[in-house]
Amino acid sequence: HVEAARSVVSLLQPDRLLIMPTCISPHKVMANDTPSPDVRKHLCELAFAEIEQAEVSDLEMRREGRSYTADTLIQLKELYPEDTLVLIMGTDMILSLESWSRPETIMELAEIAVLLRGVDEDERVRSHIAYLCETYGARITLLEAGVYPAASTDVRNTLKQGGGSELL
């Protein structure tokens, strides 16, 4: 995620890049040994400290219950009504966006920037993005920032099996 953040800053040159650890993820079952939200926030502060525009936010951690992106964007729009919100995600997330809670709200409130991982999924991702733009009026930008060999989910799974340190 740190390399992705560096790419986003380089390509989009945002005034601010909010890093937002969730309290309770709606689409993941957290392992018993998952660090607490406060520890994850601190780890994010350490990881992103060298990126000047990066700012770790506890907005989702302060909300009770599951953290839904639509709710977060509603809050951010209230906090920053004049700003353009850009939601950054990987290709795995853009392909599943319609299954999220209130995807129409997400696409209405924020532009979306998608970091391409590699050419293997290029055509499928581009086709799905075209569909989202046509069907929902989504505003989506592809960021060709280099190859990211694995999604964060893949990295976590590999680490649990004793490998993957080269991906950190």
Side-chain angles (χ1 to χ4, degrees):
H1 286 137
V2 175
E3 284 306 312
R6 285 190 180 109
S7 293
V8 166
V9 167
S10 173
L11 294 167
L12 298 181
Q13 301 181 353
D15 297 328
R16 174 184 335 190
L17 179 66
L18 293 178
I19 308 299
M20 198 151 321
T22 63
C23 187
I24 302 171
S25 176
H27 59 276
K28 294 179 188 172
V29 176
M30 303 300 254
N32 291 337
D33 60 349
T34 298
S36 71
D38 287 335
V39 169
R40 286 187 286 116
K41 179 178 183 268
H42 182 65
L43 290 171
C44 285
E45 290 167 345
L46 293 172
F48 295 95
E50 294 181 12
I51 301 174
E52 183 180 331
Q53 295 86 343
E55 192 178 300
V56 178
S57 169
D58 65 353
L59 184 88
E60 287 192 353
M61 294 171 54
R62 286 184 276 130
R63 270 201 319 258
E64 290 188 20
R66 298 194 179 277
S67 297
Y68 292 100
T69 301
D71 294 332
T72 300
L73 290 171
I74 290 167
Q75 278 189 276
L76 288 172
K77 202 61 177 167
E78 289 171 2
L79 290 170
Y80 308 106
E82 302 301 318
D83 292 357
T84 299
L85 301 178
V86 181
L87 178 63
I88 313 297
M89 64 178 65
T91 53
D92 53 336
M93 294 293 105
I94 196 66
L95 292 171
S96 68
L97 181 60
E98 288 176 290
S99 68
W100 295 17
S101 175
R102 295 171 287 154
E104 301 88 356
T105 300
I106 294 168
M107 290 181 265
E108 176 187 325
L109 292 176
E111 295 179 13
I112 299 172
V114 179
L115 286 159
L116 284 175
R117 275 202 190 90
V119 292
D120 291 348
E121 56 192 13
D122 227 22
E123 187 53 42
R124 181 174 169 218
V125 169
R126 288 179 193 278
S127 175
H128 192 68
I129 286 172
Y131 165 78
L132 293 174
C133 291
E134 185 177 315
T135 305
Y136 297 97
R139 297 153 292 153
I140 303 174
T141 302
L142 282 171
L143 300 178
E144 298 189 41
V147 176
Y148 296 96
S152 59
T153 303
D154 298 332
V155 173
R156 281 190 294 276
N157 289 339
T158 303
L159 289 170
K160 285 179 187 174
Q161 295 171 9
S165 61
E166 73 282 359
L167 299 172
L168 296 177

